[in-house]
Amino acid sequence: MSRPHQYIALVSSLPHLGKLFSRKDVPISGFRLKQRLSMLEPAHASLLREMVEVTAWAGVAGYDRDIDVIRRANKVLADLAAYPDLQHLVGARMETRTLIAALRRRRDGQESAGDIENWGFGRWCAQVKANWSDPAFGLGHFMPWVGEAHQLMRAGDHIAMERLVLTQVFRQMSHYGNLHEFDFEAVAIYVLRWVIVERWSRYNEADARARLATLVASALGGKTDDGSKAGRPDLFSDFTSALEGAPS
């Protein structure tokens, strides 16, 4: 367990990130954030790296098969057993990624969800499979963003698509972030939010098109459209590389 005063000091040292899309600069650099995170307990630092790895495209890009990404996610969820809110957050990120993958597959002409158990994750797999022809997979009544994402993907509006998905992810984080103040969960959620804010600060349309194309090349990660394997940085070398990129 962490020492309370240690985490109060850590959280207090992290500047407010502000609203998503509200600024083009990041209030704390990756280098400075890494310095702050040196205050984490070793076990917590390890868990945070696991979370970043499985939620960031840079982390899952090294896996050849979607089923391997799913297994990795389940391992991370098991390791987070003492932190149910972080479990829910990681699970929600994986489910969002699955819905995007389903939209891509359908857009590219796939006539059914097929073996979704091998490329999809989470609660909505059966719903997606049973409602493949519905624009929002039958989820539009309480997840209206899925139908909007369907329209944007078909229109090829990469900027609006990425903005929409990042907004949903940020809202998920804000919900759980409101439940924590000076604990490990608060630090982890801050880092995942920082990844998105930092990414948006470097945002441009060309990058958005390239990222979206790579993200949807397969369901959860892995190979690009041309069949080549996407590069994977060493996420465990330090926190700076671990915090690179956070696809939805």
Side-chain angles (χ1 to χ4, degrees):
M1 298 297 291
S2 61
R3 299 188 297 275
H5 293 297
Q6 173 184 337
Y7 277 41
I8 291 173
L10 172 53
V11 174
S12 299
S13 73
L14 301 173
H16 182 57
L17 291 175
K19 295 181 179 180
L20 186 60
F21 313 126
S22 65
R23 56 193 304 167
K24 293 296 290 183
D25 61 320
V26 185
I28 182 172
S29 68
F31 176 77
R32 294 297 183 191
L33 180 57
K34 177 185 173 183
Q35 288 184 318
R36 302 289 194 276
L37 294 176
S38 66
M39 299 172 65
L40 283 171
E41 297 287 339
H44 285 162
S46 179
L47 284 174
L48 180 55
R49 286 188 178 95
E50 287 189 67
M51 290 182 63
V52 173
E53 179 190 21
V54 81
T55 57
W57 174 83
V60 301
Y63 293 95
D64 290 315
R65 301 181 304 167
D66 295 317
I67 190 65
D68 293 329
V69 180
I70 295 170
R71 288 169 180 162
R72 179 59 177 159
N74 285 327
K75 170 64 165 56
V76 173
L77 292 176
D79 291 344
L80 290 169
Y83 306 98
D85 286 340
L86 297 183
Q87 281 185 319
H88 293 155
L89 185 55
V90 170
R93 291 290 299 276
M94 294 296 295
E95 289 172 343
T96 297
R97 191 177 288 166
T98 292
L99 291 172
I100 296 172
L103 289 170
R104 191 277 304 175
R105 285 169 174 257
R106 188 176 60 190
R107 180 205 63 187
D108 289 350
Q110 187 165 312
E111 296 182 356
S112 72
D115 59 343
I116 193 171
E117 63 276 4
N118 290 323
W119 61 263
F121 179 97
R123 296 168 291 174
W124 311 124
C125 289
Q127 182 84 1
V128 169
K129 191 167 189 175
N131 297 275
W132 187 254
S133 62
D134 182 85
F137 304 116
L139 301 170
H141 58 295
F142 67 100
M143 296 175 69
W145 72 267
V146 180
E148 186 177 350
H150 162 76
Q151 296 176 354
L152 293 172
M153 186 175 289
R154 288 178 61 87
D157 193 336
H158 306 286
I159 292 179
M161 175 69 180
E162 181 149 352
R163 189 181 182 106
L164 173 67
V165 175
L166 289 182
T167 297
Q168 302 309 312
V169 172
F170 218 71
R171 285 175 179 169
Q172 293 166 0
M173 294 181 187
S174 296
H175 169 74
Y176 290 109
N178 290 335
L179 304 178
H180 298 276
E181 289 185 330
F182 300 107
D183 53 16
F184 169 60
E185 291 95 324
V187 176
I189 293 169
Y190 181 94
V191 169
L192 296 180
R193 287 164 60 100
W194 179 91
V195 169
I196 294 179
V197 172
E198 194 276 339
R199 167 175 160 180
W200 188 258
S201 73
R202 296 184 286 108
Y203 188 90
N204 62 63
E205 183 174 3
D207 287 345
R209 185 177 297 108
R211 281 197 301 268
L212 184 60
T214 304
L215 172 63
V216 302
S218 64
L220 301 177
K223 297 183 178 180
T224 58
D225 282 329
D226 62 4
S228 63
K229 188 175 179 181
R232 183 187 187 190
D234 180 4
L235 294 178
F236 297 94
S237 60
D238 58 39
F239 270 104
T240 302
S241 60
L243 299 177
E244 282 295 322
S248 311

